[in-house]
Amino acid sequence: MEFKRDGRGEGAGLPKDPTVKTVGNDPEKRYKGGRGDPGRIEERANAAYTYILEGGTRRQVAERLSSRFNTSIRTSHDDYKRAMEYLKEEQQGTRADLLNHIQALRLAGARKALAKGQLQTFSMLLKDMGAVIGEAEAETSSQDIKLNISIEKQEEA
């Protein structure tokens, strides 16, 4: 295979025979040709999620992904980002479930405290329940207060 030797620029380093396919003249050899298989992307993201839960820095997780799936570090960081989105979604759902569960426990505890005559405990549980739903916020905030000042001219008598 003989290469054109016309220096830098157009056609530099390409073979004289146009039928010979190289990275320079065949786009199929340059890159994969688009995004990967969605199933494979999901598999990498799930692996990243598992590695995140096991612990380690972002770079460590990306290195493990890169070596396991034979991908670039850039792709591994994209998979890490996708896994972090999964983690955030899961935490939001878990938080809402936990708040509901805690409220149910407080309500059950308040009923038991009231039945036993423990009014201070009952009062404290009701206060906590109110704080969760936003009842304990200051009732008068600076936005709610409207102050009108008018000065009237005094008449001389």
Side-chain angles (χ1 to χ4, degrees), residues 21-146:
K21 299 297 182 189
T22 66
V23 175
N25 66 5
D26 188 7
E28 290 181 14
K29 290 193 173 198
R30 281 187 217 151
Y31 50 86
K32 189 171 168 279
R35 294 183 60 92
D37 177 39
R40 192 73 170 153
I41 292 172
E42 186 75 19
E43 181 183 358
R44 291 193 320 255
N46 287 334
Y49 182 86
T50 303
Y51 292 154
I52 289 169
L53 293 180
E54 289 175 1
T57 65
R58 181 181 181 126
R59 284 186 177 177
Q60 289 171 333
V61 171
E63 284 291 332
R64 287 179 72 184
L65 286 169
S66 181
S67 63
R68 177 176 168 185
F69 293 101
N70 195 26
T71 59
S72 68
I73 295 294
R74 169 99 164 83
T75 301
S76 297
H77 280 286
D78 290 344
D79 295 334
Y80 181 92
K81 184 177 172 183
R82 194 172 290 110
M84 287 301 288
E85 289 172 9
Y86 293 161
L87 188 61
K88 286 176 187 174
E89 289 172 13
E90 182 179 290
Q91 292 300 323
Q92 289 298 323
T94 303
R95 184 176 185 279
D97 291 342
L98 282 175
L99 286 176
N100 289 333
H101 188 71
I102 289 169
Q103 283 294 81
L105 289 173
R106 283 187 182 129
L107 186 58
R111 285 185 183 146
K112 287 181 182 178
L114 189 59
K116 291 182 180 180
Q118 299 171 339
L119 297 178
Q120 187 173 3
T121 304
F122 178 73
S123 173
M124 192 171 67
L125 287 170
L126 285 180
K127 181 180 176 186
D128 290 344
M129 290 172 70
V132 169
I133 61 173
E135 180 186 76
E137 292 179 7
E139 291 182 18
T140 57
S141 67
S142 62
Q143 296 173 350
D144 295 339
I145 299 173
K146 293 181 181 176

